[in-house]
Amino acid sequence: QVQLVESGGGLVQAGGSLRLSCAASGRDLRTYFMGWFRQAPGKEREFVATISWNLHTIYADSVKGRFTISRDNAKNMVYLQMDSLNSEDTAVYYCGADQVFGRIRGARADYWGQGTQVTVSS
C-alpha cells in the first residue's frame, strides 16, 4: 500500500519559518498531484497547496507569498517551506496524493499521511 509520512512540524515563533517534508513509499507517485492540507482545532480540513508532475503549483489565498511547495521525484519527497508564520497557521498539516487536481483542490485525496503538528507562538 501507499504510505505517506510527514515530518518537520514543531513549535516556532510568529514570523519564523519551518519546512515540512513528506516521504512517499509503496507506489510510484511521480505522475500524481501532491498536496498539503491542514486542520486547526474546531475547523474543517482545508487545502493549502498542490504541485503537479510538471511542477505547476497552486496555493490557497491565505498562504500565497509565504508558503512554497516543491517535490523531488527522484527521492519520492514533497516539501512545504513555510515563511512568515503567524498564529493562524497553527494546525495539523497533512500531505496527500491524487490523480485528479480537482480532488486535491477540494481537500480530498486517495492517499493521506498521518499528519504533523505545527504550532506558532505569539
Side-chain angles (χ1 to χ4, degrees):
Q1 294 183 343
V2 170
Q3 184 176 21
L4 303 176
V5 180
E6 303 94 335
S7 62
L11 177 65
V12 63
Q13 287 187 316
S17 298
L18 208 59
R19 191 190 197 198
L20 305 183
S21 299
C22 176
S25 62
R27 183 174 180 176
D28 185 1
L29 299 179
R30 286 177 291 180
T31 63
Y32 280 60
F33 291 93
M34 302 299 298
W36 284 99
F37 313 83
R38 66 187 183 186
Q39 186 167 20
K43 297 183 178 180
E44 297 292 326
R45 180 186 62 211
E46 66 176 344
F47 164 82
V48 173
T50 186
I51 185 167
S52 70
W53 68 272
N54 59 345
L55 307 184
H56 179 69
T57 59
I58 298 291
Y59 298 91
D61 288 341
S62 59
V63 305
K64 285 181 179 177
R66 299 190 299 119
F67 290 10
T68 303
I69 187 172
S70 61
R71 69 192 297 171
D72 186 340
N73 287 333
K75 297 181 179 180
N76 297 317
M77 297 288 292
V78 185
Y79 306 97
L80 185 68
Q81 177 66 44
M82 304 184 293
D83 299 319
S84 301
L85 287 163
N86 59 65
S87 60
E88 295 185 356
D89 295 316
T90 294
V92 177
Y93 283 71
Y94 301 89
C95 66
D98 203 286
Q99 297 185 75
V100 181
F101 164 76
R103 287 177 53 81
I104 291 288
R105 184 62 182 84
R108 297 180 178 181
D110 282 340
Y111 306 108
W112 292 96
Q114 60 186 355
T116 185
Q117 177 71 48
V118 172
T119 302
V120 183
S121 63
S122 60

